[in-house]
Amino acid sequence: MRITMKAAFAMAAIGLAPVSAEAATLMVGPLAAVGMGPQGTTGNSILTYAVGANAHITAVRHALTLTTVGYSWLNEQVVLFGNSEETRAAWTPGYELAEHGTMTYTGMTDLTAIGLDFFLLEDGLLKLEFTDIYNDGVEGRAFWQDVRLEITYDTGMARVPEPASWALMIVGIGAVGGAARYRRRPMRVTVG
Protein backbone atom coordinates (compact mmCIF):
# COMPACT_ATOMS: atom_id res chain seq x y z
CA MET A 1 0.00 0.00 0.00
CA ARG A 2 2.73 2.45 0.96
CA ILE A 3 4.63 1.70 -2.25
CA THR A 4 1.50 2.49 -4.29
CA MET A 5 1.07 5.84 -2.50
CA LYS A 6 4.75 6.73 -3.00
CA ALA A 7 4.57 5.79 -6.68
CA ALA A 8 1.44 7.91 -7.14
CA PHE A 9 3.05 10.92 -5.47
CA ALA A 10 6.20 10.46 -7.58
CA MET A 11 4.13 10.33 -10.79
CA ALA A 12 2.24 13.48 -9.81
CA ALA A 13 5.51 15.27 -8.98
CA ILE A 14 6.99 14.30 -12.35
CA GLY A 15 3.93 15.78 -14.06
CA LEU A 16 4.36 19.06 -12.15
CA ALA A 17 8.12 19.35 -12.69
CA PRO A 18 9.18 22.08 -15.15
CA VAL A 19 10.51 21.05 -18.52
CA SER A 20 14.28 21.42 -18.55
CA ALA A 21 15.65 24.34 -20.52
CA GLU A 22 18.83 24.67 -22.51
CA ALA A 23 20.59 28.01 -22.90
CA ALA A 24 21.31 29.06 -26.47
CA THR A 25 22.40 32.21 -28.29
CA LEU A 26 21.31 33.93 -31.47
CA MET A 27 24.09 35.85 -33.21
CA VAL A 28 22.82 38.92 -35.11
CA GLY A 29 25.13 40.85 -37.42
CA PRO A 30 27.30 42.45 -38.29
CA LEU A 31 24.65 44.58 -39.98
CA ALA A 32 23.58 48.16 -40.63
CA ALA A 33 20.15 49.50 -39.69
CA VAL A 34 18.20 52.76 -39.85
CA GLY A 35 15.74 54.33 -37.40
CA MET A 36 13.40 56.71 -39.24
CA GLY A 37 10.76 57.33 -36.56
CA PRO A 38 8.58 55.74 -33.88
CA GLN A 39 7.48 52.11 -34.02
CA GLY A 40 5.84 51.23 -37.34
CA THR A 41 7.37 54.14 -39.29
CA THR A 42 8.11 53.29 -42.91
CA GLY A 43 11.86 52.92 -43.34
CA ASN A 44 12.64 51.58 -39.85
CA SER A 45 14.83 48.49 -40.07
CA ILE A 46 12.83 45.46 -38.92
CA LEU A 47 14.46 42.05 -38.49
CA THR A 48 12.73 38.75 -37.75
CA TYR A 49 14.44 35.55 -36.58
CA ALA A 50 13.05 32.04 -36.07
CA VAL A 51 14.33 31.16 -32.60
CA GLY A 52 11.96 28.44 -31.37
CA ALA A 53 8.49 28.00 -29.94
CA ASN A 54 8.10 29.48 -26.45
CA ALA A 55 11.80 30.44 -26.23
CA HIS A 56 12.56 32.58 -23.18
CA ILE A 57 14.62 35.67 -24.12
CA THR A 58 16.89 36.46 -21.15
CA ALA A 59 19.86 38.67 -22.12
CA VAL A 60 21.44 40.79 -24.89
CA ARG A 61 25.15 41.39 -25.43
CA HIS A 62 25.87 44.22 -27.86
CA ALA A 63 28.58 46.01 -29.84
CA LEU A 64 27.61 48.79 -32.26
CA THR A 65 28.21 52.32 -33.49
CA LEU A 66 25.28 54.73 -33.52
CA THR A 67 25.18 58.02 -35.44
CA THR A 68 22.37 60.58 -35.22
CA VAL A 69 21.92 63.64 -37.40
CA GLY A 70 19.91 66.85 -37.20
CA TYR A 71 17.75 67.23 -34.13
CA SER A 72 17.82 63.53 -33.25
CA TRP A 73 19.67 62.67 -30.07
CA LEU A 74 21.41 59.48 -29.08
CA ASN A 75 19.01 58.90 -26.18
CA GLU A 76 16.04 58.79 -28.61
CA GLN A 77 17.31 55.74 -30.50
CA VAL A 78 15.64 52.54 -29.36
CA VAL A 79 15.66 48.89 -30.43
CA LEU A 80 12.31 47.21 -29.76
CA PHE A 81 12.37 43.48 -28.96
CA GLY A 82 9.26 41.34 -29.08
CA ASN A 83 7.43 38.32 -30.32
CA SER A 84 5.45 38.22 -33.56
CA GLU A 85 2.46 40.01 -31.98
CA GLU A 86 3.77 42.64 -29.56
CA THR A 87 6.78 44.57 -28.29
CA ARG A 88 8.05 43.13 -25.02
CA ALA A 89 11.23 45.16 -24.29
CA ALA A 90 12.78 48.44 -25.42
CA TRP A 91 16.53 48.98 -25.32
CA THR A 92 18.25 52.37 -25.57
CA PRO A 93 22.06 52.10 -25.75
CA GLY A 94 22.60 55.89 -25.42
CA TYR A 95 19.96 56.54 -22.76
CA GLU A 96 22.13 59.11 -20.93
CA LEU A 97 23.19 61.22 -23.95
CA ALA A 98 20.76 64.03 -24.84
CA GLU A 99 22.89 65.11 -27.81
CA HIS A 100 23.50 64.10 -31.39
CA GLY A 101 26.69 62.65 -32.81
CA THR A 102 28.43 59.29 -33.06
CA MET A 103 29.06 56.88 -30.20
CA THR A 104 30.25 53.28 -29.94
CA TYR A 105 28.57 51.02 -27.39
CA THR A 106 29.50 47.62 -26.00
CA GLY A 107 28.10 45.73 -23.06
CA MET A 108 25.54 43.26 -21.81
CA THR A 109 21.99 43.65 -20.49
CA ASP A 110 20.52 40.92 -18.31
CA LEU A 111 16.83 41.21 -19.19
CA THR A 112 15.82 38.83 -16.41
CA ALA A 113 17.53 40.95 -13.73
CA ILE A 114 15.61 44.07 -14.78
CA GLY A 115 12.28 42.34 -15.36
CA LEU A 116 12.24 42.65 -19.16
CA ASP A 117 12.73 38.99 -20.08
CA PHE A 118 9.94 37.55 -22.20
CA PHE A 119 8.67 34.48 -24.01
CA LEU A 120 8.14 34.03 -27.71
CA LEU A 121 4.89 32.58 -29.02
CA GLU A 122 4.27 29.17 -30.61
CA ASP A 123 5.57 30.47 -33.96
CA GLY A 124 8.99 31.06 -32.32
CA LEU A 125 9.58 34.41 -34.04
CA LEU A 126 11.73 37.14 -32.47
CA LYS A 127 11.20 40.63 -33.94
CA LEU A 128 13.62 43.56 -33.67
CA GLU A 129 12.76 47.09 -34.83
CA PHE A 130 15.23 49.99 -34.90
CA THR A 131 13.39 53.23 -34.08
CA ASP A 132 13.81 56.94 -33.37
CA ILE A 133 11.19 57.57 -30.67
CA TYR A 134 11.04 61.32 -31.31
CA ASN A 135 9.31 62.10 -34.61
CA ASP A 136 10.57 65.54 -35.70
CA GLY A 137 9.71 65.13 -39.38
CA VAL A 138 13.31 64.79 -40.57
CA GLU A 139 14.16 61.55 -42.36
CA GLY A 140 17.25 59.42 -41.83
CA ARG A 141 17.85 60.41 -38.24
CA ALA A 142 19.63 57.38 -36.83
CA PHE A 143 22.19 55.16 -38.48
CA TRP A 144 23.23 51.98 -36.70
CA GLN A 145 26.53 50.61 -38.02
CA ASP A 146 28.41 47.36 -37.43
CA VAL A 147 25.61 46.12 -35.15
CA ARG A 148 26.46 42.84 -33.44
CA LEU A 149 23.96 41.37 -30.99
CA GLU A 150 24.22 38.13 -29.06
CA ILE A 151 20.75 37.29 -27.77
CA THR A 152 20.61 34.65 -25.05
CA TYR A 153 17.51 32.53 -24.68
CA ASP A 154 16.34 29.31 -23.07
CA THR A 155 14.80 26.61 -25.22
CA GLY A 156 12.43 23.88 -24.20
CA MET A 157 10.52 26.02 -21.73
CA ALA A 158 6.87 24.98 -21.76
CA ARG A 159 4.57 27.65 -20.36
CA VAL A 160 1.76 25.13 -19.90
CA PRO A 161 2.02 21.38 -19.40
CA GLU A 162 1.75 19.25 -22.51
CA PRO A 163 -1.13 16.73 -22.86
CA ALA A 164 1.12 13.85 -21.80
CA SER A 165 2.02 15.73 -18.61
CA TRP A 166 -1.66 16.36 -17.88
CA ALA A 167 -2.40 12.65 -18.37
CA LEU A 168 0.42 11.69 -16.02
CA MET A 169 -0.83 14.12 -13.36
CA ILE A 170 -4.39 12.77 -13.64
CA VAL A 171 -3.18 9.17 -13.30
CA GLY A 172 -1.05 10.11 -10.29
CA ILE A 173 -3.84 12.02 -8.56
CA GLY A 174 -6.30 9.21 -9.33
CA ALA A 175 -3.93 6.65 -7.84
CA VAL A 176 -3.56 8.75 -4.68
CA GLY A 177 -7.34 9.11 -4.40
CA GLY A 178 -7.90 5.40 -5.01
CA ALA A 179 -5.31 4.45 -2.42
CA ALA A 180 -6.85 6.80 0.14
CA ARG A 181 -10.35 5.42 -0.54
CA TYR A 182 -9.12 1.85 -0.24
CA ARG A 183 -7.51 2.60 3.15
CA ARG A 184 -10.73 3.94 4.68
CA ARG A 185 -12.77 0.76 4.17
CA PRO A 186 -13.52 -0.93 7.46
CA MET A 187 -12.37 -4.52 7.84
CA ARG A 188 -15.06 -7.18 8.21
CA VAL A 189 -14.40 -10.00 10.52
CA THR A 190 -16.56 -13.09 10.53
CA VAL A 191 -16.57 -15.41 13.46
CA GLY A 192 -17.90 -18.76 13.29
Side-chain angles (χ1 to χ4, degrees), residues 19-25 51-57 152-158:
V19 177
S20 63
E22 295 179 22
T25 57
V51 175
N54 300 318
H56 181 206
I57 308 300
T152 304
Y153 62 96
D154 294 328
T155 62
M157 295 290 288

Side-chain angles (χ1 to χ4, degrees), residues 64-178:
L64 60 94
T65 300
L66 177 58
T67 300
T68 58
V69 296
Y71 293 103
S72 292
W73 292 348
L74 293 163
N75 66 351
E76 297 169 346
Q77 310 317 308
V78 178
V79 180
L80 303 175
F81 291 83
N83 55 43
S84 58
E85 292 184 4
E86 63 184 342
T87 298
R88 302 301 308 229
W91 174 62
T92 308
Y95 66 92
E96 74 286 354
L97 293 172
E99 59 186 58
H100 64 275
T102 299
M103 290 292 295
T104 298
Y105 301 95
T106 59
M108 192 272 230
T109 303
D110 183 347
L111 298 174
T112 304
I114 59 175
L116 292 177
D117 57 314
F118 62 95
F119 287 90
L120 300 181
L121 302 177
E122 288 295 323
D123 61 14
L125 295 178
L126 172 67
K127 181 179 171 183
L128 308 176
E129 183 174 355
F130 294 80
T131 68
D132 182 336
I133 60 171
Y134 183 72
N135 189 358
D136 57 8
V138 179
E139 292 189 10
R141 289 180 289 287
F143 302 95
W144 305 72
Q145 297 113 17
D146 199 24
V147 176
R148 298 167 195 265
L149 302 174
E150 182 180 323
I151 300 168
T152 304
Y153 62 96
D154 294 328
T155 62
M157 295 290 288
R159 295 194 302 190
V160 295
E162 295 179 7
S165 297
W166 280 112
L168 191 56
M169 284 189 284
I170 290 168
V171 168
I173 291 169
V176 170

